Amino acid sequence: MEVISGIIFHFIGGFASGSFYMPFKKVKGWHWESYWLIGGLFSWLVVPPLAAWLTLPGFSEIISQASWSVIATIYIFGLLWGIGGLTYGLGIRYLGMSLGNSVMLGCCSVFGALVPAIYYNIVPTAGKTSLSEMLSSTWGLVVLLGLLVCLTGIFICGWAGIMKEKELTEEEKKKAVAEFSVVKGLIVGVISGILSACFVYGIEAGKDMAEVAVANGLNPLYQNNVTYVVLLWGGLTTNFVWCIILNIRNRSYHDYTNKSTPLLRNYLFAAMAGTTWFLQFFFYGMGESKLGNGASSWILHMAFIILIANMWGLALREWKGVSKKATATIVGGILTILLSVLIVGYGNSLK
């Protein structure tokens, strides 16, 4: 039952992440940096402490009592992840929901799932799963097989994107994704995927605070919410600075008061996008509390995001005008990723 509930929580988190960009599409007349910043303020500054306050009373005392080294480590990982978040937005602009998420989250899956396990192989830590332990156990091998299948599905999705690039005219590409560019998108996407994996490293670094929350008698289901507060300060710093620079460079700071645009609507949808984005990690923390932090939780989270994002891509007709072969390829990639979720879930049931 623990495994099933964990998978359900990861699915809800994946749905939130795979869907969060949709409200941004309703923002009219604003530059990217303007709506990204407003959404980000809700993602990184407003909603995380609110969620922690609702689920972990006294969370601020836990943070204030943590060592500076722990706080600094979490914050630095947040900064690096913030760069990944910035480039994620650019990746979606260049590649669209389907291909963009497949490339970026594919890289994120690998680095987020394997690097902590490799680290704990070098620095053994009680309660943490190392790569050697995974390789020497049936459940670990099944989970790693799931990761391999997930990567296969991501490769298939990426191949479908290349097929799309070859088949569509420039005009057709722009209709589906206004700034479609495979070269720019792949470069940005790989960088984003690698740096975005720093989020899971930040969660690992904040485990001491999460354990204090549990020791204080608080619900372990929400233990990671205290870590998110600090981790997202780092993400806020990176994104805030860059968006303000773009606001000044492009003189887009006028967007925030431009009455020729639907201001209330724009603020509302940007806030909705930011809040939806945070919910992915709110539910990730719940799923992780059921399955344990490590490769399996991260793979499930990433796989569900890729699935939902690709489904949105199909629903938004990003693949309109391509051959049946290309469409079948992207669908095959989605089904392969779904298979990986089932394999990882089975592996966890053996643990």
Side-chain angles (χ1 to χ4, degrees):
M1 190 61 190
E2 291 285 299
V3 171
I4 294 175
S5 59
I7 291 175
I8 291 172
F9 287 139
H10 281 308
F11 173 78
I12 297 173
F15 184 86
S17 181
S19 306
F20 92 93
Y21 209 85
M22 301 305 296
F24 279 144
K25 292 180 175 292
K26 299 292 185 180
V27 175
K28 305 297 181 183
W30 279 12
H31 293 73
W32 173 84
E33 59 270 19
S34 299
Y35 63 72
W36 188 260
L37 178 57
I38 297 301
L41 288 173
F42 279 83
S43 299
W44 312 310
L45 186 63
V46 177
V47 182
L50 176 61
W53 177 71
L54 290 172
T55 58
L56 300 175
F59 78 93
S60 58
E61 286 79 6
I62 297 175
I63 294 175
S64 64
Q65 292 168 8
S67 68
W68 278 107
S69 61
V70 169
I71 296 295
T73 302
I74 298 172
Y75 179 76
I76 290 171
F77 279 131
L79 283 173
L80 295 173
W81 164 81
I83 298 173
L86 275 174
T87 48
Y88 172 86
L90 291 174
I92 294 296
R93 286 170 64 188
Y94 293 139
L95 296 176
M97 292 289 286
S98 298
L99 182 57
N101 277 284
S102 297
V103 172
M104 291 182 283
L105 298 179
C107 293
C108 192
S109 296
V110 176
F111 282 85
L114 295 183
V115 171
I118 294 172
Y119 172 79
Y120 291 125
N121 222 72
I122 300 171
V123 184
T125 305
K128 304 296 184 181
T129 303
S130 68
L131 183 60
S132 294
E133 290 177 287
M134 295 185 72
L135 290 171
S136 60
S137 63
T138 301
W139 77 267
L141 289 172
V142 173
V143 167
L144 290 174
L145 173 62
L147 174 58
L148 181 61
V149 173
C150 183
L151 289 176
T152 302
I154 291 164
F155 174 81
I156 294 172
C157 289
W159 184 253
I162 294 173
M163 294 171 67
K164 173 184 176 181
E165 164 79 359
K166 292 178 178 178
E167 291 178 5
L168 296 181
T169 64
E170 287 301 316
E171 184 179 352
E172 288 172 325
K173 293 172 192 173
K174 303 305 180 185
K175 284 181 181 179
V177 181
E179 300 177 65
F180 188 79
S181 172
V182 166
V183 175
K184 288 182 182 179
L186 289 177
I187 293 173
V188 169
V190 171
I191 294 173
S192 174
I194 292 173
L195 292 179
S196 292
C198 288
F199 200 96
V200 74
Y201 309 156
I203 294 175
E204 287 284 345
K207 273 302 168 184
D208 287 345
M209 293 197 303
E211 289 169 359
V212 169
V214 176
N216 288 347
L218 299 175
N219 193 333
L221 195 62
Y222 308 112
Q223 60 183 286
N224 285 329
N225 286 350
V226 65
T227 304
Y228 293 156
V229 174
V230 180
L231 186 56
L232 293 173
W233 286 342
L236 171 66
T237 303
T238 308
N239 284 266
F240 184 84
V241 170
W242 180 240
C243 287
I244 291 298
I245 289 173
L246 290 180
N247 274 157
I248 295 172
R249 179 189 299 173
N250 300 330
R251 299 181 64 82
S252 54
Y253 52 82
H254 294 297
D255 289 344
Y256 305 118
T257 56
N258 185 0
K259 293 183 179 180
S260 66
T261 64
L263 284 177
L264 180 60
R265 173 192 173 96
N266 284 356
Y267 277 108
L268 178 62
F269 279 111
M272 189 184 301
T275 302
T276 302
W277 180 92
F278 173 75
L279 290 177
Q280 69 166 308
F281 287 115
F282 182 83
F283 286 102
Y284 173 83
M286 295 170 69
E288 184 253 18
S289 72
K290 296 294 184 182
L291 297 179
N293 196 30
S296 55
S297 279
W298 193 247
I299 293 167
L300 283 174
H301 183 67
M302 292 294 110
F304 279 130
I305 296 173
I306 295 167
L307 278 171
I308 299 300
N310 273 295
M311 289 177 181
W312 275 119
L314 291 172
L316 292 172
R317 303 175 71 82
E318 290 181 355
W319 295 86
K320 181 182 179 181
V322 301
S323 66
K324 291 183 179 180
K325 184 177 180 180
T327 303
T329 302
I330 188 65
V331 172
I334 293 173
L335 292 176
T336 303
I337 293 170
L338 180 58
L339 175 62
S340 77
V341 171
L342 297 176
I343 294 173
V344 171
Y346 175 69
N348 273 284
S349 69
L350 301 175
K351 192 172 181 180

